[in-house]
Amino acid sequence: MPGVPPASWTAVRPLQVLLGLSLAVAVCHPAGAQAPPNDACGNAEVIRALPFTTTLDASAATVDATDPAQALCGLGVGQRSVWYSLDVPNLSGSVLIDAYGSDAGAVVSVFTGTCGALTEVACDGPSGGSPPGPVVRIDPIPGQPLLILVTTPLSAASAVAVDVARAAPLQLVAAAGDPSPTGGTFATVSGAAPGGPNEIAFEGTTEGLFLLPAGLPGVSTLVASGGAAPGTGGSWRSFGPPKLSEAGDVVFRATVDAGAEEEGVFRWDGANVAPLALPGMPTPLGSQFRAFGDPGRNFAGDVVFVASLENGVRAVFRWSAGQLTAVASTLQANPCAPGTLMFGLDSVPAISGTGTVVFRADGIVAIVQAGGALGAVACATTAAAGGGSFVRFGAHPAITETPPERIAFQADLAGTAARDALFVVSPQCPGGVMPCRIAAESEAALGGGTFRRLGRAITPVFDELGDVTFYARTSGSIHTIMRWEAFGALALVAARGQPCPLGVGGTYRRFENAPAAIYYGFDVIAGAYCTGGTGLVDIVPGAGTTALLSRE
């Protein structure tokens, strides 16, 4: 983006606020109220030290014709506005600016430059969700002030409450060698699935699925190998990666010993486990379930999964509020090849908060809108941005939770030096060409060297504002976790040789293929192999190190 300094800018929902500044702009309506002194950009109140707190009467804040548009939030000029300038000497690390608790419609924008020549680098408006209100993350550049614009609509009350805080430090979630609730210690921990703030589900051996609940000490067991598997008449044998909703319920695929080995898709509702789909159960397509893939889900609790049926059909199914529906199947025409049917449907599907589903079939990354229309995001043999053409696609496409819906996927390429690459469908794609390439084999990688492989096992993940986090290997066999930020910049999250958190110790050696992004925050949960041991780590880029759950 022209005029944007070499730093990372995006808006996110933080997990927690540790320290920082808070300012509140409260609205009263006394007779003859005066416009606040920081009503115009040129009179922005300067913040030179943290913490900082201020209150003022913003009832007479004006619509200043010189105010810039909040274009990154799709807004023009026409709101009440107050201004602040963040100019803290030697400020480093990420800073969060939120407007939780504000009246309806509050919007926060951050700009670089000077009044009259401003470049908007981050913006967020009300989410209507949890947590409420807008929040922006910035990585300040020392010596370069940032201008903060807070607006409220003329048609609504104008009380706003803004907090600015530093990010939380890197933490240890769970480590090999930690005590297991089932007895003994964890041999391995993997497959982390963040849910609501500070809540994480994960796989561990001893074989089982475990939960680190928000606000509660220690780890609890959801299900464990050998225990009774409800609805099957058998016992648990093994488990796939769990998926956790904002409400705290967990879905997972599991193998069960019930005379003969079989598998199913199950849901834990916070108290009990029940099957969503088992072999032999009838389906909306008129045949019975036979086998299943790992499920995907959104924060509202809707579940999607691929299943094979007894009649040979493969299909994507959606479970929502107790109802099972078919989303797409190999009985449908292939949008990439008119006159033929889809086949090779075998991915882990993803679903957005609005119900849009994306999945991979042979030669296609497919999308099904909430209304049921089947379309294509990318097709094999068609031209790919950055050169070459698509050949086939990774099994783990991703989609954002909230609109505008962004999609990420891996692809193998032909006709170019890069054999594989990651692509996104995003408004931030250069020139509006979508999907655009965000990383590719042989291209320069952050931290030095070039990307070595971005194979089909790579699992990209989104956070709330559209940042894409992914695992990659670079030349010299350097294992990294990187993030493509929603405004077009590539950032390094962690790399081999960097320090591991306390409780594991040593330095990073490598990472699992599937990191998980904390949705209401910019943390990354990753399975890490360190010189001092293995574990799940909560990585906050640029922050220090503490232990959340350490080895005893």
Side-chain angles (χ1 to χ4, degrees):
M1 183 183 298
V4 179
S8 300
W9 315 91
T10 188
V12 298
R13 307 281 177 210
L15 281 177
Q16 58 263 331
V17 173
L18 295 185
L19 56 93
L21 66 94
S22 65
L23 63 93
V25 184
V27 176
C28 307
H29 294 279
Q34 299 294 312
N38 56 340
D39 189 39
C41 178
N43 295 322
E45 183 172 354
V46 180
I47 302 168
R48 297 195 183 280
L50 302 182
F52 173 86
T53 302
T54 185
T55 60
L56 59 91
D57 177 1
S59 61
T62 63
V63 178
D64 192 326
T66 65
D67 281 347
Q70 293 174 296
L72 294 178
C73 286
L75 297 176
V77 178
Q79 289 74 239
R80 294 187 182 98
S81 61
V82 289
W83 287 86
Y84 296 85
S85 174
L86 182 61
D87 189 12
V88 178
N90 302 316
L91 181 62
S92 62
S94 295
V95 174
L96 305 172
I97 306 169
D98 75 61
Y100 300 164
S102 299
D103 285 329
V107 177
V108 175
S109 289
V110 178
F111 297 85
T112 58
T114 57
C115 298
L118 294 168
T119 298
E120 189 180 20
V121 294
C123 182
D124 195 25
S127 68
S130 173
V135 58
V136 167
R137 172 171 65 89
I138 60 174
D139 295 327
I141 296 177
Q144 178 176 318
L146 298 172
L147 285 159
I148 303 167
L149 170 63
V150 183
T151 65
T152 57
L154 294 175
S155 59
S158 58
V160 299
V162 178
D163 296 301
V164 181
R166 297 183 187 275
L170 181 140
Q171 302 169 340
L172 173 66
V173 176
D178 281 340
S180 167
T182 62
T185 58
F186 290 122
T188 62
V189 287
S190 61
N198 294 319
E199 192 167 46
I200 296 166
F202 61 93
E203 295 177 77
T205 52
T206 57
E207 190 75 54
L209 298 180
F210 302 89
L211 182 71
L212 183 64
L216 296 176
V219 174
S220 61
T221 303
L222 300 184
V223 289
S225 181
T232 69
S235 58
W236 301 116
R237 180 173 181 181
S238 62
F239 308 93
K243 299 293 174 64
L244 182 63
S245 77
E246 185 177 22
D249 59 307
V250 179
V251 295
F252 57 94
R253 179 182 59 83
T255 301
V256 175
D257 285 322
E261 181 180 309
E262 60 181 40
E263 61 184 7
V265 177
F266 298 84
R267 174 175 176 264
W268 179 76
D269 64 5
N272 300 295
V273 174
L276 300 185
L278 292 172
M281 280 186 175
T283 76
L285 296 178
S287 184
Q288 293 77 42
F289 286 121
R290 182 167 60 87
F292 307 91
D294 290 326
R297 76 173 318 157
N298 60 21
F299 259 31
D302 301 324
V303 180
V304 286
F305 58 90
V306 169
S308 299
L309 308 186
E310 292 291 352
N311 62 2
V313 170
R314 295 183 68 86
V316 179
F317 293 91
R318 174 181 176 179
W319 182 92
S320 179
Q323 299 296 315
L324 188 68
T325 57
V327 175
S329 78
T330 51
L331 297 173
Q332 291 178 273
N334 187 338
C336 289
T340 66
L341 299 180
M342 286 194 299
F343 66 97
L345 203 165
D346 59 357
S347 70
V348 178
I351 182 170
S352 74
T354 64
T356 300
V357 177
V358 293
F359 61 93
R360 189 274 310 268
D362 195 77
I364 180 175
V365 176
I367 182 170
V368 179
Q369 304 289 349
L374 174 65
V377 175
C379 299
T381 75
T382 60
S389 60
F390 294 121
V391 176
R392 53 190 158 270
F393 304 100
H396 301 275
I399 189 168
T400 51
E401 183 78 14
T402 57
E405 289 166 342
R406 299 171 172 89
I407 296 169
F409 61 91
Q410 183 276 347
D412 291 351
L413 304 174
T416 179
R419 292 178 294 174
D420 39 47
L422 280 179
F423 293 83
V424 296
V425 176
S426 167
Q428 279 66 47
C429 284
V433 177
M434 297 184 282
C436 57
R437 194 164 85 180
I438 62 173
E441 183 195 27
S442 76
E443 290 184 345
L446 291 178
T450 58
F451 287 113
R452 182 179 177 187
R453 289 306 306 269
L454 293 162
R456 291 192 298 278
I458 297 299
T459 304
V461 290
F462 280 108
D463 63 18
E464 185 188 15
L465 268 296
D467 295 350
V468 182
T469 300
F470 59 96
Y471 162 84
R473 291 183 66 181
T474 62
S475 55
S477 295
I478 301 300
H479 299 258
T480 66
I481 296 175
M482 296 198 183
R483 166 178 277 149
W484 183 83
E485 303 199 325
F487 299 105
L490 195 63
L492 181 66
V493 174
R496 179 174 178 168
Q498 292 180 342
C500 281
L502 297 177
V504 174
T507 58
Y508 291 122
R509 295 170 52 214
R510 60 186 178 91
F511 306 93
E512 290 184 339
N513 283 347
I518 294 290
Y519 195 71
Y520 291 134
F522 55 95
D523 311 40
V524 173
I525 303 294
Y529 297 81
C530 305
T531 56
T534 63
L536 294 176
V537 294
D538 179 356
I539 305 169
V540 181
T545 299
T546 62
L548 176 63
L549 178 64
S550 62
R551 184 171 13 208
E552 293 182 355

